[in-house]
Amino acid sequence: LPQDPMDFEWSYWIEWGRERILWLLAGHLLVSQMSRLLVEKYKPWCLMVYGMAACWLLLGIKGFAVILLHATISFAVAQFQLSLLTWLCSLILLSTLRIPAVEEAKRKWYDTENEYYLLLFTVSVRCLFCTSFSLEYCWHGPAQKSSHSFLWMLAYVFYYPTFHNGPLMNFDEFSKQMRRQEAFSLKTNLSILIVGIIRIFFWWCLAELMIHLMYIHALYSSAPPLEAASYWALGGLALAQVLFFYVKYLILYGVPSLLLQMDGLKPPALPCCVSLMHSFTKMWRSFDVGLHRFLVRYIYVPMGGSQSSLLGTLFSTALTFAFVSYWHGGQSYLWYWGALNWLGVIVENGVKRILSISLIQDLI
């Protein structure tokens, strides 16, 4: 049966994966296992060099220079050890991705739109990594500066499994785990790899079946079928779409997560099945765990979070969702999406507070 081509993200990453990215990930796996076996002490630097080479190969010298420039500017601003200045720098660097003149200049570097989009997606994700490193640098004392050197920033930013699309791993977790030297067992790693490949292959087959049989995204792209459908059918379509989104990210995050395990790191948990969730709060906590940890550690808690007053909690939550919407692209529909999610989280937490009152509990 013909494939539903309307899900851009799936078609895009599958095409890049088949052409180059899977081969480069296999190269990373080989370099990683060889360095763990022979030169465990220098593993971060071996992987850093490989990541830089892979970036150069895929994005060209100009794309490589853009990412290196972002990292250099972020590191330079972090020297002032002011969190507000670091955030300002990060938002300015992120905003450069949306300047029309800069976009046109970058497009001219490549022969196809797909190559330009690969740079765009990669730089967007790298901005989060640069922000994480810079804020950790601001928060740590002089005694810990050696573990927050520019070389460690490059090892973190150019770590290839998470390079193009994530998942996100905060710098403090990455550096602690990368420094930890463990006993290397080729047999154990091989069993982890085989089981991981089987699971990912199963998820990929399931996703391909959904793409070839269900046509969820094709239906969503056309108004007449939606207008003619009953509310039950619309609800079924909505559920089908989020279930496909879940399976898709099991694969997109499952492949790099498997490589993180092979490198001796503990990846963020893979997304929870959306059918098991009944709340906005749980969805945000357990779907993209890496992004959730980033938002909580660097935005929600520093702005007061749940420990502040009611207005403070509302503001810190709103700021968190505002950043998520802006980072995803800042289009008007993303602001609506962020606002509705913020409202969902606020209503849930408000109901929880009401239900925690002893009088209400007695009535229940």
Side-chain angles (χ1 to χ4, degrees):
L1 291 171
Q3 176 179 324
D4 180 354
M6 300 307 292
D7 188 89
F8 169 77
E9 191 175 35
W10 176 255
S11 305
Y12 182 85
W13 289 117
I14 289 295
E15 185 182 337
W16 268 108
R18 285 171 178 163
E19 285 183 5
R20 294 188 190 178
I21 290 177
L22 277 179
W23 300 105
L24 289 170
L25 289 172
H28 170 93
L29 179 62
L30 182 63
V31 170
S32 166
Q33 298 311 293
M34 291 298 291
S35 60
R36 287 190 77 184
L37 189 63
L38 303 173
V39 284
E40 175 77 20
K41 187 179 177 182
Y42 301 103
K43 181 182 73 172
W45 320 125
C46 294
L47 298 182
M48 178 191 75
V49 171
Y50 180 85
M52 287 177 155
C55 173
W56 193 316
L57 180 67
L58 269 187
L59 301 176
I61 179 65
K62 291 178 179 176
F64 172 78
V66 166
I67 293 169
L68 188 60
L69 181 64
H70 275 231
T72 306
I73 291 170
S74 296
F75 186 77
V77 172
Q79 303 307 302
F80 292 99
Q81 295 189 302
L82 297 170
S83 298
L84 186 61
L85 192 61
T86 293
W87 265 116
L88 186 62
C89 171
S90 298
L91 292 172
I92 290 170
L93 289 174
L94 200 56
S95 69
T96 60
L97 303 179
R98 301 177 180 91
I99 299 171
V102 176
E103 285 182 336
E104 285 306 310
K106 288 176 181 175
R107 273 190 169 93
K108 290 175 184 176
W109 297 349
Y110 302 106
D111 298 326
T112 64
E113 280 284 290
N114 274 2
E115 289 174 293
Y116 164 71
Y117 281 127
L118 186 64
L119 175 67
L120 184 66
F121 298 149
T122 304
V123 174
S124 296
V125 176
R126 292 307 94 198
C127 278
L128 296 185
F129 279 68
C130 289
T131 304
S132 175
F133 176 89
S134 300
L135 289 170
E136 295 294 341
Y137 186 95
C138 292
W139 295 346
H140 286 79
Q144 296 168 300
K145 292 306 177 197
S146 60
S147 59
H148 292 73
S149 64
F150 185 60
L151 205 59
W152 266 107
M153 183 182 198
L154 293 180
Y156 176 57
V157 169
F158 284 98
Y159 181 66
Y160 194 68
T162 61
F163 192 67
H164 298 294
N165 196 41
L168 186 58
M169 192 175 186
N170 294 341
F171 177 73
D172 60 324
E173 297 170 4
F174 174 84
S175 61
K176 283 174 189 172
Q177 293 177 34
M178 190 61 84
R179 282 189 183 86
R180 189 178 60 223
Q181 295 186 13
E182 296 177 333
F184 177 73
S185 170
L186 192 61
K187 186 179 177 181
T188 304
N189 266 20
L190 191 60
S191 64
I192 291 170
L193 181 64
I194 291 168
V195 171
I197 288 172
I198 291 169
R199 291 177 74 197
I200 291 164
F201 180 72
F202 170 75
W203 296 331
W204 176 76
C205 288
L206 182 58
E208 284 293 319
L209 277 172
M210 294 173 85
I211 283 285
H212 284 85
L213 294 175
M214 297 180 74
Y215 304 103
I216 311 153
H217 305 91
L219 285 166
Y220 266 108
S221 65
S222 178
L226 298 179
E227 290 170 351
S230 68
Y231 289 133
W232 281 104
L234 290 174
L237 279 171
L239 178 59
Q241 186 170 38
V242 294
L243 284 170
F244 177 78
F245 190 78
Y246 158 65
V247 174
K248 175 171 66 177
Y249 268 87
L250 280 180
I251 299 160
L252 295 182
Y253 281 175
V255 174
S257 293
L258 177 58
L259 291 175
L260 281 161
Q261 283 182 278
M262 297 295 290
D263 292 345
L265 308 179
K266 185 182 178 182
L270 290 177
C272 257
C273 180
V274 291
S275 294
L276 301 176
M277 297 182 198
H278 60 273
S279 74
F280 282 93
T281 310
K282 188 179 178 184
M283 177 70 83
W284 277 100
R285 282 180 181 166
S286 55
F287 193 86
D288 191 336
V289 175
L291 180 61
H292 175 258
R293 287 176 183 169
F294 176 93
L295 296 171
V296 168
R297 182 168 176 81
Y298 301 121
I299 302 177
Y300 185 69
V301 171
M303 293 307 299
S306 58
Q307 302 303 313
S308 59
S309 63
L310 179 60
L311 281 176
T313 303
L314 290 172
F315 177 71
S316 53
T317 311
L319 207 60
T320 303
F321 281 109
F323 175 76
V324 171
S325 302
Y326 183 70
W327 178 71
H328 274 90
Q331 291 89 348
S332 58
Y333 72 89
L334 287 167
W335 291 111
Y336 295 137
W337 168 71
L340 288 169
N341 274 277
W342 173 76
L343 189 62
V345 169
I346 292 303
V347 168
E348 279 180 3
N349 286 321
V351 170
K352 278 182 186 177
R353 288 192 180 191
I354 292 168
L355 293 177
S356 67
I357 298 169
S358 56
L359 178 63
I360 301 295
Q361 287 184 344
D362 292 340
L363 286 171
I364 291 170

